[in-house]
Amino acid sequence: MTDLPKTQEPRLWRGDGWTAKVIKNEDDDGWAVAMIKDGEPEPALVGPWTMGRDKKNPKPLDVNAFNTLVKTASEFVRRHEQQLHATLHQRITVTANAARVTVSLDIVPDEEHPHALLSAHDETGELLAEVKAAPSFKLNRASAVAWAENGFGKPAER
């Protein structure tokens, strides 16, 4: 991917891997700013933008506003990625059959064949079992204990 040229216009700033674009707010008479990460088709964040002194046109972008917008949009993307990772990769440690077992559920969000991998490791980290499961499998303390106590078989589809 080639770097986009740095731009510093009243309604369009580009730099640091981001583009800030002041747009008409479709919900009211005001203005909004869209923050687009380089290479992405959709804005990562769209928020309200301040009116200028004439109360009709938007306030022009400046270096301080752009830097704040980049920081805010970057934090928003990072939080979204962390939340997605937490949803797709879950782990719980339980006691089953008098042993400590760490059960992991890793969801593979494939468009054609979504599935999950359910795995169990002992206290030393040795793999005890790994099976395919439905992506809808709910990992919690009860399901982890039941799976371990039933010999790590393929869980029933729900």
Side-chain angles (χ1 to χ4, degrees), residues 19-151:
T19 298
K21 188 183 220 178
V22 177
I23 55 177
K24 190 79 175 122
N25 188 341
E26 295 176 11
D27 295 336
D28 64 27
D29 293 334
W31 295 89
V33 63
M35 290 300 294
I36 305 161
K37 190 162 179 58
D38 287 357
E40 294 295 324
E42 297 290 323
L45 186 65
V46 177
W49 189 244
T50 309
M51 292 283 219
R53 293 179 191 261
D54 65 5
K55 303 294 182 206
K56 288 193 316 194
N57 293 305
K59 179 180 167 188
L61 287 163
D62 62 31
V63 68
N64 292 331
F66 182 73
N67 289 340
T68 299
L69 288 165
V70 166
K71 182 179 179 195
T72 301
S74 296
E75 288 173 358
F76 180 81
V77 168
R78 184 179 49 77
R79 279 194 310 271
H80 176 74
E81 288 169 349
Q82 287 173 336
Q83 182 180 14
L84 179 61
H85 185 271
T87 300
L88 296 177
H89 305 284
Q90 301 169 33
R91 177 170 289 143
I92 189 167
T93 301
V94 297
T95 300
N97 297 326
R100 299 289 291 162
V101 178
T102 299
V103 178
S104 300
L105 179 70
D106 295 298
I107 298 172
V108 181
D110 186 292
E111 283 187 32
E112 306 245 343
H113 305 287
H115 64 281
L117 290 175
L118 191 59
S119 61
H121 292 82
D122 68 12
E123 287 184 281
T124 66
E126 185 175 332
L127 182 65
L128 300 172
E130 184 174 78
V131 297
K132 256 188 175 180
S136 58
F137 181 84
K138 300 289 183 228
L139 179 63
N140 55 40
R141 196 161 295 288
S143 66
V145 169
W147 182 57
E149 289 182 346
N150 290 319

